[in-house]
Amino acid sequence: MESAGAYGAGKAGSVAFDPVAFFTHPRTVLRLMSWVFSMVVFSCIVNEGYINIGSERLLCVFNNNADACNFGVTIGVLCFLGSIFFLILDVYFPSISSVKDRRRAVLLDLVFSGFASFLWFVGFCFLANQWQATSPDELPLAQGSDAARATIAFCFFSILTWAVLTLSALRRFLTGSNRNLFTWQHLEPPAGSARATPYPIANGATIVTTNPYQAPPFTETLDPQKLTQQRPVAPAF
């Protein structure tokens, strides 16, 4: 039986890669969603997050605060690259046979996912506060308003996805199990976990059991002739 703290290392390389199972796995779906959300955030800021009012100088739509736009672009690009990295790690994780390397991978995922959740929470609060402080006079013809709202909305969605990834990584790190962790395959139950027959089964003239640990201390060999003998009949009076 595979030990609880092996992170599935005993199954390394035993299952072939299945693209359908991989991309339909809940963890992969969450990573793809996080990847899309981060791309939307920094794309909205880069494309429509800056305006110019009567000059060539570009101003951030979030209360003319350049730090707000820079912060949104930074965490968007960081999580965009991080999602790609962990997707690649998910593919190669089943081939890692070292328990220590698997533990480091799980710990890395836990730290990065937790850090990303914190950054997205800070970014959501910061951008929402700056957008609330922005006056309509600073945005003629409501330039960049849709991009600003989309940025704030997808920052909130990113908090949820990365928080779920953090909780999943934490649970896997504490239990040391590999099910539903990085890999797309489900580990087969160990052979010893099969339910054993509670009573012996007669096979010919020898009593056998399905589990050798539940076998009787002495094997009894029965005589087939004794099995066919009838009970003695009482004499008639």
Side-chain angles (χ1 to χ4, degrees):
M1 179 182 294
E2 180 181 330
S3 61
Y7 297 95
K11 297 289 184 177
S14 61
V15 180
F17 178 74
D18 187 357
V20 177
F22 175 75
F23 286 104
T24 55
H25 194 277
R27 191 171 188 84
T28 305
V29 173
L30 286 173
R31 292 205 189 279
L32 292 175
M33 292 175 62
S34 301
W35 177 70
V36 172
F37 294 164
S38 60
M39 181 172 55
V40 171
V41 169
F42 77 79
S43 297
C44 289
I45 297 177
V46 171
N47 293 330
E48 300 182 21
Y50 295 92
I51 59 174
N52 54 348
I53 304 176
S55 64
E56 297 181 355
R57 181 183 178 183
L58 295 178
L59 301 176
C60 179
V61 295
F62 293 98
N63 198 26
N64 296 334
N65 190 347
D67 293 335
C69 289
N70 293 336
F71 187 82
V73 173
T74 301
I75 60 175
V77 173
L78 178 63
C79 293
F80 175 82
L81 298 177
S83 299
I84 296 177
F85 171 78
F86 283 104
L87 280 173
I88 297 175
L89 182 61
D90 292 350
V91 176
Y92 287 99
F93 190 84
S95 62
I96 302 176
S97 59
S98 174
V99 178
K100 293 183 179 180
D101 292 340
R102 288 191 173 221
R103 181 180 176 85
R104 294 191 187 101
V106 177
L107 181 60
L108 179 63
D109 177 60
L110 173 61
V111 173
F112 185 86
S113 298
F115 183 63
S117 302
F118 174 75
L119 289 180
W120 282 118
F121 177 76
V122 174
F124 170 77
C125 296
F126 185 31
L127 294 178
N129 177 264
Q130 293 299 309
W131 177 248
Q132 186 178 10
T134 303
S135 62
D137 298 336
E138 297 176 354
L139 297 177
L141 302 178
Q143 295 182 10
S145 58
D146 293 338
R149 296 188 183 95
T151 300
I152 297 174
F154 281 96
C155 282
F156 177 77
F157 297 152
S158 297
I159 297 174
L160 301 179
T161 55
W162 284 104
V164 174
L165 290 172
T166 302
L167 295 177
S168 177
L170 177 61
R171 183 167 63 91
R172 300 309 176 186
F173 180 78
L174 295 178
T175 60
S177 175
N178 191 44
R179 290 191 179 184
N180 298 331
L181 174 59
F182 285 105
T183 57
W184 28 263
Q185 76 268 29
H186 297 279
L187 301 181
E188 297 294 336
S193 64
R195 185 177 180 181
T197 304
Y199 299 101
I201 301 175
N203 182 11
T206 304
I207 298 177
V208 297
T209 57
T210 57
N211 193 337
Y213 295 100
Q214 292 185 355
F218 301 99
T219 303
E220 180 182 359
T221 303
L222 301 179
D223 188 359
Q225 296 180 357
K226 295 181 179 180
L227 298 177
T228 58
Q229 292 181 356
Q230 299 180 354
R231 287 185 174 183
V233 181
F237 295 97

